[in-house]
Amino acid sequence: MRRSLLALLLLLPAAGACNDPLAVETGGVEIDLAVTGPDGHAGAFTVAIDGGAPVGVSGSGSVVSGLASGHHTIALGGLASNCTPEGEASRSFAINPSETTVVTFAVTCTATSGAIDMRVTTTGSDPDLDGYRVSLDGGTPRPIPTNGVTRFSGLSGGIHTLSLSGLAPNCSALVSNPLEVSVPVGGSVSEVVSAPIDVACTATTGSIRVSAVTTGPEPDALYSVTLNGGAPRAVLANGSIQVNQRSPGSYAVLLTDIAPNCAVSGPNPVTVTVSIGDTTDVAFAVACLPSPTLRVTVSTTGSDIPGRFLAFVDDDGGWYSYPAYTLSVPSNGTDSVVVEAGEHVVALAYLPANCVVTSPTQVPVTLPAGSTVDVAFTVTCTPLPILRVTVVTTGINAPAAYLVGVDPDYYYYYYSSYRYSANIPSNGTVSIGLPVGSHFVTLDQVPLNCVVTSPNNVLVNVALGVTTDLAYTVSCQ
């Protein structure tokens, strides 16, 4: 109990001090640091209040609190050697009770480092193919192209050494190698120093230039060139290509992929010799003739001759094959087509059953460019089979005629027609010429008051030289 009373007595004066008008009121100061410069400031700053011991501040926005109201001084310290304050490093400021005063220091820092752009330029007909390597001050080498640039940054001021390595035996630097470069520091910006190194490479190989001079009414567009049987290279008709970096020696230059109507005038391949530093020219002369013309003639005898025949060129006979060329030749006439030069096979196709080719049915031909080649076929046709249909109608109100339809041909599941048809009197006969084989025959257009009393939709077989009879009976009411 006595200890609690003593503690209360010790607290009373302190509690009373909160309302003491003579008590000291405090505030704070916030340090605003505006640092400019390419490399900034290294390390922390310090501030000293009223000549007291310096206190470290981590950066802009740091606050020193508990300062008595009134006037004070603050001094900025801890500046790096490359940084200086703008104006005085010591400032006066006033503290108002329970407020924070902002004091701004502007600090300017100069550059403490620089950079080097090393640029390599290589000349010569046989430059190094895999590039070079460059090292700084004896450090780890880094790659650089034969014509390229690499940057070393964050370098201290002073002399630095650049070493270029990995040069091919036929290449050499035209400046000192290693190359000494001075990097300046202390300015308002980080300096980038250019360090050019020129490399010259002497010739160790030669070149071959190939051209294809093309003439004629139907010139080819593109060829291929091979050297000693290597990978083909494209060359335009009336164009040229140059193949560089060929080792000295003999080469066989071959022009390929030539259209069938074109031919090289002169030797192909051409053998040439490549010398160091020289370009050897090879000029091919290509003459192109017009594409050949195939002319097909058909001579047909007999009866029931169709108006035309189809002639196929280069048809392999498969289900999904298409002939290279198709001609529609009159049954006694000629048709022609321009084809590719070379070997072809010509055949008449889809002849009706009553016609046969009496000459060879397939004719192989070779058509040189610029030529016209004739192929002749002879065909004999016999009379078509005859289907003779008779109708006998009894009763009253019979129609004047019916329709005999042969082989229905359906479209879209609801509309139909016939491949062959003829009108027939209600009591009469009609004859229809049909291809050899089986056919469906229907007596059609029968009015509703009449009924076909004989079988309808009849399957009939017809043969060459034979007349086949089919009879219908109809009853009308």
Side-chain angles (χ1 to χ4, degrees), residues 452-468:
V452 180
T453 56
S454 60
N456 205 353
N457 267 349
V458 180
L459 181 63
V460 177
N461 291 312
V462 296
L464 284 175
V466 177
T467 297
T468 302

Side-chain angles (χ1 to χ4, degrees), residues 344-424:
H344 301 277
V345 176
V346 188
L348 290 184
Y350 300 123
L351 271 71
N354 67 311
C355 298
V356 294
V357 180
T358 54
S359 61
T361 57
Q362 291 189 348
V363 180
V365 292
T366 299
L367 288 90
S371 66
T372 297
V373 175
D374 286 293
V375 174
F377 293 97
T378 58
V379 179
T380 300
C381 297
T382 57
L384 287 170
I386 300 298
L387 174 64
R388 188 165 54 198
V389 181
T390 301
V391 177
V392 176
T393 304
T394 59
I396 60 174
N397 295 329
Y402 308 105
L403 178 72
V404 177
V406 182
D407 296 334
D409 198 3
Y410 292 97
Y411 298 93
Y412 306 110
Y413 300 101
Y414 60 87
Y415 173 76
S416 67
S417 62
Y418 295 97
R419 295 183 181 178
Y420 313 94
S421 62
N423 291 318
I424 185 172

Side-chain angles (χ1 to χ4, degrees), residues 11-24:
L11 289 172
L12 285 175
C18 295
N19 298 316
D20 186 355
L22 299 179
V24 177

Side-chain angles (χ1 to χ4, degrees), residues 114-118 134-137 140-142 144 150-155 161-163 183 191-193:
I116 298 175
D117 274 351
M118 180 177 180
V134 59
S135 60
L136 176 72
D137 298 330
T140 302
R142 66 170 67 169
I144 185 171
T150 186
R151 173 170 290 186
F152 296 92
S153 56
L155 304 181
T161 302
L162 293 171
S163 297
V183 176
E191 295 284 346
V192 178
V193 181

Side-chain angles (χ1 to χ4, degrees), residues 312-318 320-325 345-347 349-350 362:
F312 285 172
V313 182
D314 299 335
D315 179 31
D316 62 11
Y320 300 101
S321 67
Y322 294 94
Y325 309 94
V345 176
V346 188
Y350 300 123
Q362 291 189 348

Side-chain angles (χ1 to χ4, degrees), residues 17-252:
C18 295
N19 298 316
D20 186 355
L22 299 179
V24 177
E25 296 185 347
T26 64
V29 60
E30 179 181 335
I31 296 92
D32 179 26
L33 294 171
V35 181
T36 59
D39 290 325
H41 183 275
F45 294 94
T46 63
V47 292
I49 307 295
D50 298 330
V55 178
V57 291
S58 58
S60 188
S62 299
V63 176
V64 178
S65 58
L67 300 179
S69 300
H71 291 277
H72 299 271
T73 61
I74 182 171
L76 182 67
L79 276 71
S81 60
N82 65 310
C83 299
T84 57
E86 295 183 9
E88 297 295 331
S90 179
R91 307 285 175 83
S92 296
F93 65 97
I95 293 293
N96 294 320
S98 302
E99 294 183 0
T100 299
T101 302
V102 178
V103 177
T104 300
F105 290 98
V107 178
T108 301
C109 299
T110 60
T112 60
S113 64
I116 298 175
D117 274 351
M118 180 177 180
R119 184 179 302 275
V120 176
T121 302
T122 303
T123 58
S125 57
D126 288 312
D128 201 326
L129 297 178
D130 57 358
Y132 314 117
R133 300 181 71 81
V134 59
S135 60
L136 176 72
D137 298 330
T140 302
R142 66 170 67 169
I144 185 171
T146 53
N147 287 283
V149 62
T150 186
R151 173 170 290 186
F152 296 92
S153 56
L155 304 181
S156 61
I159 300 298
H160 295 272
T161 302
L162 293 171
S163 297
L164 188 67
S165 60
L167 280 71
N170 65 308
C171 301
S172 59
L174 300 182
V175 298
S176 299
N177 187 23
L179 177 66
E180 290 187 347
V181 181
S182 177
V183 176
V185 295
S188 59
V189 295
S190 293
E191 295 284 346
V192 178
V193 181
S194 178
I197 294 183
D198 292 330
V199 177
C201 298
T202 59
T204 60
T205 63
S207 301
I208 299 176
R209 185 165 50 221
V210 182
S211 59
V213 180
T214 306
T215 59
E218 295 181 19
D220 205 344
L222 187 69
Y223 309 105
S224 294
V225 173
T226 60
L227 305 181
N228 287 345
R233 295 172 170 84
V235 58
L236 293 172
N238 293 311
S240 65
I241 61 169
Q242 183 163 318
V243 185
N244 297 319
Q245 297 181 326
R246 296 293 95 189
S247 299
S250 179
Y251 289 84

